[in-house]
Amino acid sequence: MEYVIHLLILIGIYGILGLSLNLVVGFTGLLSVTHAAFYGIGAYATAILLTTSGMNFFLAMFLGAIICGVLSLLIGLVLSKFKDDYYALGSFGFNIIVFSIFLNWQSLTRGPLGIPGIARPSIFGYSLSDNMPFLILTAVVLGLVYLLCRAITNSSFGRVLKAIREDEQAIQTFGYNTIYFKLTIFVIGAVLASLAGSLFASYITFIDPSTFTLNESIFILAIIILGGLANNRGAVLGAVVLILLPEVLRFVGFPSDIAAQMRQVIYGLILVLLMLYRPQGLLGEYKL
Amino acid sequence: MITLETKNLVKKFDGVHAVNHLSLSFEQCKITSVIGPNGSGKSTFINTLTGLHEIDGGSVFIGKHADITSIKPHEIGAYGMTRTFQEVRLFEQVTVLDNILVVLTERGVWGSLFENHTQYHLDQAEAVLKRVGLWEKRNELATGLSYGQRKLLEIARAISMPAEIFFFDEPFAGLFPEMIKVVVSVMQELRTKGKTVLLVEHNMDLIRQLSDYVFVLDSGKLLAEGTPDKVLSEKAVVEAYLGE
Ligand SMILES: Nc1ncnc2c1ncn2[C@@H]1O[C@H](COP(=O)(O)OP(=O)(O)OP(=O)(O)O)[C@@H](O)[C@H]1O
Ligand SMILES: [Mg+2]
């Protein structure tokens, strides 16, 4: 039972990451491969604030979101110079830069040693040190993020995002200054990813740079490609499938160390098969 | 009244003049056609006026004073201009209805975040889609439409803009006769409403039927101008076309 709760919490965290990346990749067509950087910034900001000042978790999460918002604005400004393949490559670069900062700015992040002893949240003096209450917190955040994403994508703003994805220059000729739309959604996506990072840091109570690599960004991308680009429910479904997949492998009899290695192979295989046979993913409304 | 005017407009691609010192003017309540053989610079002319290409020389004015020589694509709407593209450019993986709604709703980031379309927007979209016979298809993706329907949707999208100056780059190409009738009536209605219409077209019957005035381009230069009857009977114009 404890393990099921653990998996559900992970699904919640990756669901938030999928939903937020889908705003950028699925709805706006910006092939960003730097989402783990924002996930990491949220996690590190929260971890550092919690371990150094002992402030309330929710305040740390909020401050982490602001820090991440500012940094993503700067990164988004640079990326707005690029298009298509160059955009993907540029975003790639930022993930590597942010990862190196986590690794090398040792006075702040303790580098490869990581940050241990991160406190679990407490609400009105009631600590969520058990996993069940933490799952409830994660589910609440996931639910709020889902509702927010749905509101954004159902608004006129969301319609403009899709038009940008389809033909940016054409939608410009109808009076839209698209750079503001792209920056806004990029920052919103990053801020939401930082919330997932805050939850993760406080859930595991230990973080180190290895969680926030380029591989992780590709994993989040795989979640939304599998679940379905430009579909909010698809992003959550993708998280469910990809988190549970290794468990299913174990269940059918693979030893767990092999299952863990098979995971990578199967993610890759799923991506290739999807591109071949169902490029819009399970619930998707858009083909890359 | 002249609403749009170019003075010695120049656009070069790799040193070749696609638009070669063109000084043309376009008037309100008129359909002005720009014709010429393939590659004579008609589309390039529209593209420079709508900010898709940077201009290499000359200037462009709207009304009496507004110099829009270095306009950006997102600014043309504010100057009352809208356009279609020779190669249809729709929002493909978006529904037919959303292709129209997106040009009707709020332009700012904040405003659009807190708005979905209103009933007013929906009524406007319904009217324009019924006009071109696409209302039944409103919930289909644009990418699934036939060639003629795509062309009509693009025209519907352009006339949904609250614009004064309309550029149509070969709007009739590839349309069935009954679709052509619809587009002809759209153009005539714009003229009646006092709009400025710039039409690029190859079909001479339609040019004769619709245009009030014609500019003929050849290799980026102005070859002839005047009423359609006068221009189309000129020897140089006939030769330019036959010389293809
Ligand atoms: N983006 C571009 N890059 C380079 N050359 C271009 C570009 N666009 C147009 N040209 C060149 O400019 C010239 C004018 O082309 P343009 O498309 O304006 O002609 P057109 O009159 O619209 O022809 P058509 O009737 O075939 O549409 C041609 O020689 C074309 O090859
Ligand atoms: Mg052309």
Side-chain angles (χ1 to χ4, degrees), chain A residues 154-157 159 162-163 165-167 169-177 180-181 184 285-287, chain B residues 52 73-74 76 82 89 91-93 98 101-103 105-107 109 112-113 115-117 157 161:
Chain A
N154 284 340
S155 69
S156 295
F157 180 87
R159 196 184 293 115
K162 290 189 218 163
R165 175 188 80 196
E166 297 299 321
D167 191 335
Q169 197 176 46
I171 191 62
Q172 284 174 345
T173 67
F174 292 99
Y176 287 99
N177 197 353
Y180 295 129
F181 286 80
T184 304
E285 292 166 22
Y286 161 62
K287 299 188 251 253
Chain B
L52 268 61
H74 70 265
I76 70 168
T82 189
R89 287 171 75 167
F91 308 120
E92 300 285 345
Q93 299 184 56
D98 276 343
L101 285 175
V102 77
V103 310
T105 51
E106 173 66 40
R107 295 301 193 271
V109 168
S112 65
L113 261 173
E115 173 204 75
N116 197 330
H117 60 273
R157 187 177 66 179
M161 277 288 280

Side-chain angles (χ1 to χ4, degrees), chain B residues 13-14 18 36-45 53 86 169-170 202:
Chain B
F13 292 113
D14 304 322
N38 292 117
S40 56
K42 307 180 295 292
S43 298
T44 305
F45 182 69
H53 298 323
Q86 183 171 353
D169 198 346
E170 306 200 13
H202 281 295

Side-chain angles (χ1 to χ4, degrees), chain B residues 137-176:
Chain B
K137 303 247 173 210
R138 63 189 176 279
N139 293 323
E140 291 179 23
L141 296 185
T143 187
L145 299 181
S146 74
Y147 181 78
Q149 290 169 332
R150 296 161 55 72
K151 209 99 195 174
L152 288 177
L153 179 57
E154 209 197 21
I155 290 165
R157 187 177 66 179
I159 61 173
S160 299
M161 277 288 280
E164 288 303 317
I165 303 173
F166 294 79
F167 301 102
F168 294 106
D169 198 346
E170 306 200 13
F172 298 102
L175 293 192
F176 291 118

Side-chain angles (χ1 to χ4, degrees), chain A residues 218-219 222-223 225-226 238 241-252 254-255 257-275:
Chain A
I218 293 172
F219 179 66
I223 286 179
I225 291 177
L226 171 74
V241 174
L242 284 192
I243 295 294
L244 293 186
L245 191 75
E247 309 311 318
V248 173
L249 287 180
R250 270 212 313 230
F251 192 74
V252 298
F254 282 100
D257 53 335
I258 296 188
Q261 287 156 16
M262 286 289 287
R263 216 170 87 145
Q264 299 290 333
V265 176
I266 288 189
Y267 294 156
L269 205 62
I270 285 181
L271 278 184
V272 174
L273 289 176
L274 277 173
M275 287 299 127

Side-chain angles (χ1 to χ4, degrees), chain A residues 94-107:
Chain A
F94 274 114
N95 202 143
I96 292 167
I97 292 170
V98 171
F99 171 77
S100 324
I101 292 172
F102 293 154
L103 195 62
N104 295 308
W105 190 354
Q106 303 209 354
S107 56

Side-chain angles (χ1 to χ4, degrees), chain B residues 55-151:
Chain B
I55 288 173
D56 294 317
S59 43
V60 185
F61 292 91
I62 286 209
K64 281 242 173 339
H65 305 292
D67 182 338
I68 58 153
T69 307
S70 43
I71 201 164
K72 298 269 183 302
H74 70 265
E75 294 166 342
I76 70 168
Y79 284 96
M81 298 193 283
T82 189
R83 64 169 296 168
T84 66
F85 297 87
Q86 183 171 353
E87 309 278 340
V88 181
R89 287 171 75 167
L90 295 172
F91 308 120
E92 300 285 345
Q93 299 184 56
V94 170
T95 63
V96 167
L97 181 61
D98 276 343
N99 265 274
I100 300 295
L101 285 175
V102 77
V103 310
L104 296 173
T105 51
E106 173 66 40
R107 295 301 193 271
V109 168
W110 279 112
S112 65
L113 261 173
F114 298 102
E115 173 204 75
N116 197 330
H117 60 273
T118 60
Q119 188 60 42
Y120 171 70
H121 296 137
L122 202 58
D123 291 344
Q124 278 182 294
E126 180 174 348
V128 77
L129 283 175
K130 282 190 168 153
R131 178 92 199 254
V132 296
L134 289 174
W135 178 243
E136 272 67 45
K137 303 247 173 210
R138 63 189 176 279
N139 293 323
E140 291 179 23
L141 296 185
T143 187
L145 299 181
S146 74
Y147 181 78
Q149 290 169 332
R150 296 161 55 72
K151 209 99 195 174

Side-chain angles (χ1 to χ4, degrees), chain A residues 83-100:
Chain A
K83 269 194 165 20
D84 306 328
D85 309 359
Y86 294 97
Y87 188 97
L89 279 177
S91 69
F92 225 85
F94 274 114
N95 202 143
I96 292 167
I97 292 170
V98 171
F99 171 77
S100 324

